[in-house]
Structures are given as structure tokens and as C-alpha cells.
Amino acid sequence: MDTAIQVLGLAAKYELASTKEDKEAVVEELKTLQANTNEAESSTSFQLYVAHVFLMAGMMREALQLVHLGITMEHISLSLDIYLKMDRIDLALEQLSLLKQADEDSVLAQLGTVHVKTATGRSTSADAVHSLSAMSEQYGPSVMLLNCLAVAQMTSGNWDAAETALNEALADDSQSSSMVDTLINLVVCYQNMGKGMASITPLLTQLKASHPSHPFVEGLVRVEGAFEREAIKYMLEPIA
């Protein structure tokens, strides 16, 4: 079997895995494959597929090692996203410059520009909102674009507009793999809008039920468990 196809199958297996153990097993398979094949150094598809799985597993350094020397636009775009996750906007800007040199009008360059402007903060997030609105008109309001728009709107402090975009994304059931991002962004949006737990709890319940191994959910469960353990220490004993 072609190694790139094998890696693609493992990537799909990772996304479908329902437990942390199953996901870790896929990562180990990919590490073994990476160590035992020359394609880790020569195959663009191999590098990108494995890097995407490593990113989903929170392994940013390992993902970056696979793509940071790549010369394709896909390599550069993924490197840009990783640098933003690392809060290295300076390095992300260098990658954005390379994307624009290759093809300034490409979708990857447009998305890279949007991500950098949103990450930079409120001073440039309005430009990101404008660009995303134009892209939605040109390509259609996909769940991914709606989430990007919502994040840019939240960065700009436009909470009502962000909620509108997220509710539109939530109504689109055709891309369920992106729904976890929509739910998490809605939780953040509702918290900043001052909405009560009556609005937020159903979203958290849905997240826990449908995406139990997502890093956001795992972190939330850990914090809730720690809070409950501490709360027990301060419970008042009933007076006989």
C-alpha cells in the first residue's frame, strides 16, 4: 500500500477514535511509520497528513518539524497556523509573506492574512471581518468561514454579530466535524455576552457527549473535577 494512503487512513482513524487510548495508538503508529520510511523526508502528502494528526494531538513541535522546511503553499500555510498557535506572530508574518509571494490571490494566502489579522488583535480584526465577509460571498458561508468570522467579530467586540454567525454555522449539520469548534466558540461568546448557565450548560453537555476526547472537553472535565474536590473540603457538616 502507498505510504501516503496509509497515513491518510490513519488520520481518518484518529478523527473517528472515541477514546484517548485509541487516539494515542494511532499517534504511535504514525511515529513508527515516520521512523521507518524515507517518505517522511520526501513526500509532501506524508508530511502534511502526519503533521495534521500531530496538531490534533497537541504535538505542535513535532508537527512543525515536519513542515517548516517545506516549500509548497500547503507547507507554508500549515507552518503559519502552527506559529500562531505558539503565539509567534512574528514568524507567522514571515510565512504569510512567503504565501503572498507565491500567489497573493490564493485561498491559502487570504486565509493566512485573516488568521494573522485576527490573532494580532482588535487593531486589525475589522480587516479580517471584511475579508471573511467577501470570501463568504465568493465561496459560500461554510462552517469553517463562519467560525473564522465569529472569532474575528469577537476579537472586535461585536458579540451579537458573532452569535449570529455561530448560530448559522450550528444550523448547518452537513459538516459535523467542524461542529465542535462552533459549540466551543458559542460557549465563549455567551460567556462574554453575560448569558447565564441556562444558555451555556446545554452546549457543554452536547460537547461532553459528542466530543469527550477533545482537548477543550478534557480540560473542562479536569477543572470541574478539581473544583468539586476542593468544594468538598468546605462543605458544612450537618448539625445533629
Side-chain angles (χ1 to χ4, degrees):
M1 180 187 296
D2 182 85
T3 307
I5 298 298
Q6 189 176 354
V7 171
L8 182 58
L10 287 171
K13 184 178 178 181
Y14 183 93
E15 291 199 41
L16 293 172
S18 58
T19 67
K20 183 177 181 180
E21 290 73 19
D22 289 342
K23 290 181 181 293
E24 290 175 348
V26 173
V27 170
E28 289 304 315
E29 284 189 69
L30 286 172
K31 286 182 177 179
T32 300
L33 196 60
Q34 181 183 1
N36 296 328
T37 180
N38 293 327
E39 291 196 46
E41 298 179 359
S42 61
S43 170
T44 296
S45 297
F46 182 98
Q47 294 164 354
L48 291 171
Y49 291 149
V50 176
H52 275 294
V53 175
F54 284 174
L55 269 184
M56 288 188 287
M59 300 163 59
M60 287 190 289
R61 179 178 297 180
E62 291 82 354
L64 185 60
Q65 287 175 341
L66 280 164
V67 299
H68 78 288
L69 294 178
I71 59 175
T72 70
M73 293 190 69
E74 289 79 9
H75 280 86
I76 298 169
S77 177
L78 190 53
S79 296
L80 184 155
D81 288 340
I82 295 171
Y83 285 134
L84 289 179
K85 289 178 183 293
M86 293 178 168
D87 293 325
R88 291 300 306 269
I89 294 180
D90 56 328
L91 297 178
L93 281 169
E94 293 179 5
Q95 300 303 307
L96 179 58
S97 177
L98 292 174
L99 280 177
K100 289 183 175 180
Q101 288 175 27
D103 186 352
E104 188 169 6
D105 296 325
S106 68
V107 173
L108 288 177
Q110 292 179 61
L111 284 174
T113 301
V114 164
H115 291 159
V116 170
K117 287 184 178 296
T118 301
T120 300
R122 185 171 292 194
S123 61
T124 55
S125 57
D127 294 335
V129 169
H130 177 76
S131 298
L132 285 163
S133 297
M135 291 181 72
S136 294
E137 290 180 5
Q138 183 175 359
Y139 302 109
S142 67
V143 171
M144 183 271 289
L145 284 177
L146 287 168
N147 271 279
C148 288
L149 177 60
V151 172
Q153 293 283 22
M154 285 191 280
T155 304
S156 300
N158 302 325
W159 304 105
D160 290 335
E163 181 186 15
T164 298
L166 291 170
N167 281 326
E168 184 177 347
L170 201 61
D172 185 355
D173 293 328
S174 64
Q175 302 184 51
S176 58
S177 61
S178 302
M179 203 54 64
V180 61
D181 297 327
T182 306
L183 292 171
I184 292 171
N185 285 329
L186 262 177
V187 169
V188 174
C189 186
Y190 284 174
Q191 285 180 322
N192 282 277
M193 294 176 77
K195 293 197 174 187
M197 291 307 294
S199 298
I200 296 173
T201 298
L203 300 175
L204 296 177
T205 300
Q206 186 176 349
L207 274 169
K208 291 176 182 177
S210 58
H211 303 279
S213 59
H214 190 278
F216 177 89
V217 176
E218 290 181 341
L220 178 63
V221 171
R222 283 196 301 270
V223 170
E224 288 177 339
F227 179 82
E228 290 174 1
R229 289 191 296 272
E230 288 299 312
I232 291 174
K233 299 178 183 179
Y234 301 97
M235 289 180 63
L236 295 175
E237 295 291 337
I239 300 176

